[in-house]
């Protein structure tokens, strides 16, 4: 990692934490630190599963419990077990909690205004554009890739969403029964693998890799949720699957796609895939791609 880049990031972090007041115990002038305020925002109007809240904020269980106890003591939240499973707790804002959230929103708007007010119009536009780009890149950095069983609920969620999108985008619609989709066993070791992408604990993408014996590796079922696009996740999937294929001694990586998926086709070209003759009988494929890679010794 470049030392100069590390220094710039650290300086940016110091500037932001100082300017937005996260170092104070009385964040936005209230009698609570930013951690408690963040929980109030995240709980929202509908309430939230405590485990889900912890996953979204990537916080330690004990720390979240201490914050919730403090908010509960102030009468801002209620924490109760769910009727169907008492091991699962839900947290909701009380009426006082909703009022506190509205006040925090108002003061947060004032803080944002104070950051922009000293600047001229051009500087404001530059700052907002830069913040938008930083937000996008930091969000991209929080996405995790994990190998899971294709029968896992998160994998099934992604696949259902993927099939639904194909049904809407393909001229002929999409019927999974007609497609040459691999069985779950073909995407499990040693025959292959299945990657899932998660953002704040939510599944937002998937990609499979077939590793048939004596044949090129093949990418299948690659999909990114609309809310996670423009985070570079498609390219990240391709890079990870290429590395995995190389680790298994493969020197050719293949995939097929439909003409309706123009963004995906552009991505494949930019990642070094070349169009080749059809290598399977996939009825929904219009383009077939291949990339020569360096197999690991």
């Amino acid at each position: 990692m470049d030392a100069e880049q590390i220094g710039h990031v650290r300086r940016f972090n110091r500037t932001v934490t100082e300017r937005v007041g996260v170092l104070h115990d009385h964040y936005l002038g209230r009698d609570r630190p930013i951690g408690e305020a963040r929980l109030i925002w995240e709980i929202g109007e509908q309430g939230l599963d405590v485990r889900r809240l912890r996953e979204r904020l990537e916080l330690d269980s004990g720390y979240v419990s201490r914050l919730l106890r403090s908010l509960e003591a102030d009468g801002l939240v209620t924490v109760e077990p769910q009727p169907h499973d008492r091991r699962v707790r839900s947290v909701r804002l009380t009426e006082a909690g909703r009022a506190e959230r509205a006040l925090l929103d108002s003061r947060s708007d004032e803080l944002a205004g104070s950051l922009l007010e000293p600047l001229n119009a051009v500087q404001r536009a530059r700052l907002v554009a830069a913040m938008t780009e930083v937000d996008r890149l930091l969000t991209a950095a929080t996405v995790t890739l994990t190998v899971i069983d294709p029968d896992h609920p998160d994998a099934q969620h992604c696949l259902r969403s993927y099939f639904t999108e194909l049904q809407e985008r393909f001229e002929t619609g999409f019927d999974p029964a007609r497609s040459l989709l691999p069985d779950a066993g073909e995407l499990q070791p040693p025959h292959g693998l299945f990657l899932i992408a998660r953002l704040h604990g939510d599944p937002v993408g998937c990609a499979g890799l077939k590793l048939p014996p004596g044949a090129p590796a093949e990418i299948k079922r690659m999909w990114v949720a609309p809310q996670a696009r423009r985070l570079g996740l498609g390219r990240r999937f391709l890079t990870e699957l290429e590395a995995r294929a190389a680790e298994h001694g493969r020197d050719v990586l293949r995939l097929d796609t439909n003409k309706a998926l123009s963004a995906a086709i552009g991505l494949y070209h930019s990642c070094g895939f070349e169009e080749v003759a059809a290598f399977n009988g996939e009825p929904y494929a219009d383009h077939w791609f291949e990339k020569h890679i360096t197999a690991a010794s």
Side-chain angles (χ1 to χ4, degrees):
M1 191 70 67
D2 186 275
E4 185 176 357
Q5 290 181 331
I6 294 293
H8 282 299
V9 171
R10 292 186 60 183
R11 184 162 57 251
F12 174 82
N13 290 343
R14 290 194 296 271
T15 300
V16 170
T17 54
E18 178 184 351
R19 192 66 182 86
V20 303
V22 301
L23 303 177
H24 304 296
D25 289 335
H26 300 276
Y27 181 64
L28 296 177
R30 305 300 292 156
D31 292 331
R32 58 187 46 83
I34 190 173
E36 292 183 11
R38 188 70 183 88
L39 254 64
I40 291 173
W41 272 314
E42 199 64 43
I43 292 166
E45 291 295 326
Q46 304 303 318
L48 203 62
D49 178 327
V50 172
R51 180 173 53 191
R52 187 75 191 87
L53 177 66
R54 186 174 67 247
E55 290 175 349
R56 283 188 62 83
L57 297 178
E58 298 183 357
L59 293 175
D60 174 77
S61 176
Y63 180 58
V64 170
S65 295
R66 290 193 295 275
L67 293 177
L68 289 177
R69 283 197 298 269
S70 178
L71 293 174
E72 199 171 17
D74 289 343
L76 301 178
V77 303
T78 59
V79 182
E80 299 174 343
Q82 293 186 2
H84 65 279
D85 187 348
R86 299 188 64 82
R87 294 171 300 176
V88 180
R89 298 181 302 152
S90 293
V91 55
R92 295 183 181 276
L93 297 177
T94 63
E95 184 175 348
R98 288 190 291 273
E100 179 69 13
R101 184 170 182 264
L103 181 57
L104 287 171
D105 278 336
S106 175
R107 294 198 175 182
S108 187
D109 286 345
E110 292 175 5
L111 174 59
S114 74
L115 297 177
L116 296 171
E117 193 276 331
L119 306 177
N120 61 42
V122 173
Q123 290 174 318
R124 290 176 187 175
R126 288 176 57 196
L127 178 59
V128 171
M131 286 178 165
T132 301
E133 180 69 359
V134 168
D135 177 63
R136 184 181 69 84
L137 293 174
L138 289 179
T139 299
T142 66
V143 176
T144 60
L145 298 186
T146 309
V147 175
I148 66 171
D149 191 298
D151 288 327
H152 187 283
D154 283 354
Q156 290 299 305
H157 165 80
C158 287
L159 291 173
R160 285 193 301 270
S161 301
Y162 171 54
F163 296 156
T164 298
E165 181 169 348
L166 296 187
Q167 169 66 26
E168 295 170 351
R169 298 187 63 180
F170 287 3
E171 291 179 354
T172 59
F174 180 77
D175 179 3
R178 291 189 60 226
S179 177
L180 297 181
L181 292 172
D183 295 330
E186 295 181 88
L187 298 179
Q188 295 172 330
H191 309 294
L193 59 91
F194 195 74
L195 286 174
I196 196 80
R198 292 188 178 94
L199 175 60
H200 304 309
D202 292 327
V204 294
C206 63
L209 182 68
K210 287 178 59 177
L211 297 166
E218 188 173 349
I219 294 173
K220 304 295 291 185
R221 298 179 174 182
M222 193 172 91
W223 173 80
V224 177
Q227 70 271 23
R229 290 170 190 172
R230 297 192 69 254
L231 298 180
L233 190 48
R235 189 176 299 272
R236 187 172 168 191
F237 270 136
L238 291 177
T239 301
E240 180 68 18
L241 293 178
E242 179 178 331
R244 300 268 183 166
E247 288 174 3
H248 285 82
R250 308 308 166 92
D251 56 8
V252 175
L253 186 58
R254 288 175 168 176
L255 58 87
D256 60 69
T257 193
N258 186 276
K259 62 184 178 182
L261 306 180
S262 55
I265 292 171
L267 173 65
Y268 302 146
H269 281 297
S270 70
C271 288
F273 284 83
E274 296 182 353
E275 195 154 355
V276 296
F279 50 76
N280 61 25
E282 171 58 59
Y284 293 106
D286 299 299
H287 302 274
W288 289 260
F289 288 91
E290 189 173 275
K291 181 177 182 179
H292 290 269
I293 61 178
T294 302
S297 58

